[in-house]
Amino acid sequence: MNLLDVHNLLNFIWGETFRLNEELREKLKPLGFKVEPVEEVFNAYIYLDGEWREMLYPHPAFEIKPGGEVGATLQGFYFVFGILKEKISEEFVKEFIEKFRKSYIYGSENFLEDFYNYQSPKEPNEVFKEIKESEEKIINFEVGELTVEELERYLFDFIELIKKYSLFDL
């Protein structure tokens, strides 16, 4: 293990998260979102070698209200939004999966069991059926393993998608 590489990676993800926080605060405000300050996130998980693994170390992230979070892990940058199950349509699930290749869909309570995981994909109608049959009240839609440039572009694409399906009151 090269400690300088680890040091440089951690500085990069923290530095870029702070920069993104400032940038998105200005860009998202006119769209009805509030961007909170960067925080250290503990008790998170990362998908490695085919399974979710607990991260005992913190990573940088910030909330985008309503319903979202942007952050960075050792794999790259991500965003995730929690959406009320009752508002989710099969068309939304299908469009989300088609639009965002590196994505996950999971519940807020049983978050270690995916409804959808791009590394072992399922058909959107099957994903939607599992969501509707679950006991979950809030479903998380995550797009991850992104570069900084991809994060911003995909985040705005996702915002357009949630507006299209009226998933938040903005």
Side-chain angles (χ1 to χ4, degrees):
M1 171 174 49
N2 183 325
L3 291 180
L4 182 58
D5 289 344
V6 173
H7 170 78
N8 288 338
L9 176 61
L10 290 172
N11 273 345
F12 173 74
I13 65 175
W14 279 90
E16 286 300 299
T17 302
F18 280 114
R19 188 189 61 72
L20 274 169
N21 180 265
E22 291 293 319
E23 201 172 285
L24 291 174
R25 181 177 289 125
E26 300 305 314
K27 290 180 178 180
L28 292 176
K29 189 175 184 177
L31 300 176
F33 292 94
K34 182 178 188 223
V35 175
E36 296 290 332
V38 174
E39 297 180 342
E40 298 169 339
V41 176
F42 288 91
N43 301 320
Y45 286 79
I46 189 169
Y47 198 78
L48 296 172
D49 295 331
E51 66 181 88
W52 288 104
R53 297 173 188 265
E54 186 176 12
M55 296 167 47
L56 297 176
Y57 51 90
H59 71 280
F62 56 90
E63 286 184 67
I64 296 178
K65 293 182 177 181
E69 177 181 283
V70 168
T73 68
L74 300 176
Q75 289 178 308
F77 295 85
Y78 71 89
F79 64 85
V80 58
F81 279 79
I83 300 173
L84 288 170
K85 177 171 81 171
E86 64 200 35
K87 290 190 169 198
I88 297 168
S89 67
E90 187 171 350
E91 295 78 22
F92 170 74
V93 171
K94 182 177 190 270
E95 198 166 341
F96 175 82
I97 290 170
E98 287 173 357
K99 223 174 236 233
F100 305 105
R101 297 288 177 213
K102 291 183 178 176
S103 62
Y104 305 93
I105 303 172
Y106 52 92
S108 62
E109 294 295 320
N110 191 6
F111 54 86
L112 294 178
E113 302 224 1
D114 302 316
F115 295 113
Y116 180 81
N117 182 323
Y118 81 94
Q119 295 185 39
S120 53
K122 296 188 246 180
E123 291 299 316
N125 61 337
E126 184 182 341
V127 174
F128 180 71
K129 182 177 184 262
E130 288 178 20
I131 289 171
K132 287 302 178 185
E133 291 174 352
S134 78
E135 298 293 319
E136 298 284 348
K137 291 179 178 31
I138 296 176
I139 307 299
N140 292 311
F141 289 79
E142 180 173 335
V143 180
E145 301 170 40
L146 304 171
T147 66
V148 176
E149 297 78 20
E150 288 172 328
L151 178 114
E152 192 165 334
R153 185 173 73 243
Y154 292 158
L155 177 61
F156 283 95
D157 288 347
F158 182 78
I159 289 170
E160 288 302 313
L161 191 61
I162 62 175
K163 283 181 175 182
K164 177 180 176 179
Y165 289 96
S166 303
L167 299 176
F168 289 109
D169 298 326
L170 296 171

